[in-house]
Amino acid sequence: MEQRWGIVDVDISADLEDAVLAEAGDGLLGAQVLGGVEGLRLSLCFESLEAAEGVALRLRGWLGEVDRSERRGVSAVRELQDQGWLEMYEASLVPFRLGRRFVVHRREASFSRARDPAVRRWPLLIVPGRAFGTGEHATTRLCAEALESLVAPGSEWVDLGTGTGILALVATRLGASRVLALDRDPEAVALAHVVLGANGVGGAVRVECGSLDGSWGGPWDGIVANIALPYFLHGVGTLAARLRAGGVIVASGFLRCDVRELRHAFIAAGLRPIRTRSRRDWAVLVAVAEA
């Protein structure tokens, strides 16, 4: 019998992409992301039209609370006959460049054919899953770019809120001798183990479920944390206490408009901001632990 998929088309601002994917729920089979006039168009795929209609109803209510633009929201719910949608989705997962040194593969077939000496980029294999951090989001890109200039050979780092483990993987490839990858989500921890093992660095990275506290050792040369703003505002003192003098923190997961407030919090915790960059509406802040 021919498979029929349920598709929800939704127009959103770029900063809501990850939140919408999370709100779509466990029934989400895949998503195609296209550029739009005012942001992004997501085509979300479900196993049936009925499942798609249920998600669309939930998304309409949720988006009505977080984005009141009349030009954005759920634009269509439709049924798609089996035209190899999932195969087309997987085929759309083409490799993309991350920072100056890496190229991210999301299909093992393309990863197995890397590396092209002419490109001179290190291939990374990321297994798509529900954990955050495939390398496409602006905050992940900003963190990876910062790590390229900050990770010294033999240094020891923490990847806080590791998601898929991509930033722990980047730090290891850049020469870190020891990386602790932490996440509070057991599903993310399991996926990070898979990703790091697939890239052959499982022994160099310790993946644990939890947050940063005294039981994880230290002090550390650096902490990369791609998490939400409230954690930094309330927990930056914990991060500062885990850094050795001169150690750095690479912080992202917040909007450009939040940088000023975050700088004040970092300074109060004994961290000296040295660099800020932004992409789209998102930002990264790099700070150094004072001696």
Side-chain angles (χ1 to χ4, degrees), residues 2 22 31 46 55 75 84 86 120 175 208 211 223 271 279 285:
E2 188 177 59
F46 300 88
V55 172
S75 59
L86 291 182
R120 298 187 181 278
E208 297 287 351
S211 189
I223 299 171
L271 298 169
R279 177 176 276 113
L285 175 63

Side-chain angles (χ1 to χ4, degrees), residues 93-162:
L93 300 178
V94 296
F96 61 90
R97 294 183 175 187
L98 179 66
R100 301 184 308 277
R101 307 189 195 183
F102 302 99
V103 57
V104 177
H105 298 258
R106 294 167 294 177
R107 301 173 65 208
E108 191 167 354
S110 67
F111 177 71
S112 64
R113 294 192 296 268
R115 146 186 193 190
D116 182 353
V119 176
R120 298 187 181 278
R121 285 176 176 264
W122 202 295
L124 309 177
L125 176 62
I126 301 299
V127 182
R130 290 193 55 77
F132 176 81
T134 62
E136 295 174 282
H137 195 273
T139 58
T140 310
R141 288 180 177 273
L142 288 166
C143 287
E145 291 164 4
L147 290 176
E148 286 184 321
S149 63
L150 294 170
V151 176
S155 58
E156 300 179 333
W157 281 75
V158 175
D159 177 12
L160 184 61
T162 194

Side-chain angles (χ1 to χ4, degrees), residues 40-207:
L40 301 176
R41 166 162 289 188
L42 304 182
S43 291
L44 311 176
C45 180
F46 300 88
E47 65 180 7
S48 67
L49 179 61
E50 292 75 17
E53 289 172 338
V55 172
L57 180 63
R58 186 169 71 250
L59 284 176
R60 285 191 179 101
W62 179 76
L63 285 168
E65 296 294 326
V66 301
D67 186 350
R68 299 183 181 276
S69 170
E70 295 182 358
R71 300 183 64 179
R72 292 195 290 261
V74 175
S75 59
V77 182
R78 53 195 170 92
E79 188 175 61
L80 180 67
Q81 295 183 1
D82 189 359
Q83 300 170 350
W85 193 94
L86 291 182
E87 289 79 4
M88 288 189 293
Y89 165 69
E90 290 181 355
S92 72
L93 300 178
V94 296
F96 61 90
R97 294 183 175 187
L98 179 66
R100 301 184 308 277
R101 307 189 195 183
F102 302 99
V103 57
V104 177
H105 298 258
R106 294 167 294 177
R107 301 173 65 208
E108 191 167 354
S110 67
F111 177 71
S112 64
R113 294 192 296 268
R115 146 186 193 190
D116 182 353
V119 176
R120 298 187 181 278
R121 285 176 176 264
W122 202 295
L124 309 177
L125 176 62
I126 301 299
V127 182
R130 290 193 55 77
F132 176 81
T134 62
E136 295 174 282
H137 195 273
T139 58
T140 310
R141 288 180 177 273
L142 288 166
C143 287
E145 291 164 4
L147 290 176
E148 286 184 321
S149 63
L150 294 170
V151 176
S155 58
E156 300 179 333
W157 281 75
V158 175
D159 177 12
L160 184 61
T162 194
T164 62
I166 186 171
L167 294 177
L169 177 57
V170 165
T172 302
R173 291 297 191 218
L174 291 171
S177 62
R178 183 165 69 107
V179 179
L180 172 64
L182 294 172
D183 205 295
R184 291 177 174 176
D185 181 359
E187 186 175 351
V189 170
L191 182 57
H193 274 293
V194 172
V195 169
L196 294 166
N199 285 272
V201 299
V205 182
R206 177 182 176 186
V207 185

